[in-house]
Amino acid sequence: MNWFFHKIYWGGWMSLHNRRRKALLTSATDPETSKTRILWGLGLLGFTSLYREGFEVVLFLQSYYLRLGGKAVLGGAILGLFFTGAVAALTFVAHRRLPYRKMLILTGLMLGIVLLVMVGEQAQEMQLANWIPTTPIKRLSNVLPAWIGLWFSVFPTVETLAAQSLAAILVIGSYFLARAHTTPPCQDEAAVILGHAPDCPMQTLGTGQNKPEKCPKCGMTLVERR
């Protein structure tokens, strides 16, 4: 899944949307193209780039609504809309270039924490159902507070901690394995989409031409930075 995200979603899916956006903006200079058609195109492009995440958020909020009630979900939604509005204001009003790559890395770390919580929770449920044994660790029982188990599903048992450790090793290992196989030696994923990396030889070779050129160092097709 980590390899698929880097190879297909991050590289292919986002570059596809960028190409469609550039094509729409280029067609805006054509006098035969109506503004209504361009607006519809940009609107549909925005919808296709966000609808999957939107549906996932709705399902996520519905599950919490059933567990915690409407007040908790409403408060969280308002808080999320506030931060979304702050990002929109910085991007569209203040014209600030946000560190998107760092934001994606931070999101990935948060998803990794969520994964560990889910693994610990499922392991404990399997223990309660007597599907796997329960081996308590007495030294940790007096150290770990109750809220650690409630919020982060960290329990002082060998089975739950072993499952979470295995999940962490798999995620971290797959991340470095994916980077070793997908990242070119002279640029990163952001440079593939946005243009040339500062140390890439294509910075001075092949720029300004109509069709994309291939990097002589890594063989990847590059586009000129706008």
Side-chain angles (χ1 to χ4, degrees):
M1 190 65 188
N2 185 54
W3 174 87
F4 177 84
F5 181 83
H6 282 82
K7 189 71 175 180
I8 305 299
Y9 183 83
W10 173 241
W13 183 248
M14 294 186 68
S15 61
L16 174 63
H17 279 76
N18 279 331
R19 290 196 301 269
R20 289 181 176 177
R21 175 182 58 84
K22 291 180 180 179
L24 285 169
L25 295 178
T26 302
S27 64
T29 59
D30 188 355
E32 297 182 357
T33 304
S34 63
K35 293 183 178 180
T36 303
R37 183 177 180 180
I38 296 174
L39 290 176
W40 271 104
L42 291 173
L44 291 174
L45 182 63
F47 175 78
T48 57
S49 63
L50 295 175
Y51 78 95
R52 184 178 67 83
E53 286 79 2
F55 283 127
E56 288 179 353
V57 170
V58 170
L59 293 175
F60 178 79
L61 294 180
Q62 284 181 341
S63 65
Y64 271 91
Y65 177 80
L66 295 175
R67 292 176 58 185
L68 304 175
K71 290 184 178 180
V73 173
L74 180 61
I78 292 175
L79 189 63
L81 288 174
F82 170 77
F83 285 111
T84 303
V87 172
L90 290 173
T91 304
F92 299 108
V93 179
H95 301 288
R96 295 289 301 274
R97 182 177 176 83
L98 300 178
Y100 298 110
R101 180 173 176 79
K102 294 180 180 180
M103 293 168 63
L104 285 173
I105 293 175
L106 178 61
T107 304
L109 292 175
M110 295 173 66
L111 289 174
I113 295 174
V114 172
L115 171 65
L116 296 180
V117 172
M118 294 176 63
V119 169
E121 186 178 45
Q122 294 302 316
Q124 191 210 27
E125 290 180 357
M126 295 175 70
Q127 287 177 332
L128 295 176
N130 294 322
W131 288 1
I132 60 175
T134 302
T135 308
I137 303 176
K138 296 182 180 180
R139 293 182 178 180
L140 294 179
S141 299
N142 299 326
V143 176
L144 294 178
W147 61 268
I148 291 290
L150 178 64
W151 289 98
F152 298 101
S153 297
V154 177
F155 303 100
T157 65
V158 174
E159 291 77 15
T160 55
L161 293 178
Q164 289 175 316
S165 300
L166 179 61
I169 292 173
L170 288 174
V171 170
I172 296 174
S174 65
Y175 170 78
F176 286 104
L177 182 64
R179 285 191 63 86
H181 285 81
T182 61
T183 303
C186 60
Q187 61 187 24
D188 57 12
E189 295 93 337
V192 174
I193 298 171
L194 301 177
H196 306 304
D199 57 344
C200 179
M202 289 299 292
Q203 189 78 343
T204 56
L205 296 176
T207 58
Q209 299 186 13
N210 294 328
K211 62 180 181 179
E213 294 289 335
K214 290 186 178 295
C215 175
K217 185 174 181 180
C218 65
M220 177 166 288
T221 301
L222 302 177
V223 295
E224 183 179 2
R225 184 185 296 276
R226 301 296 182 183

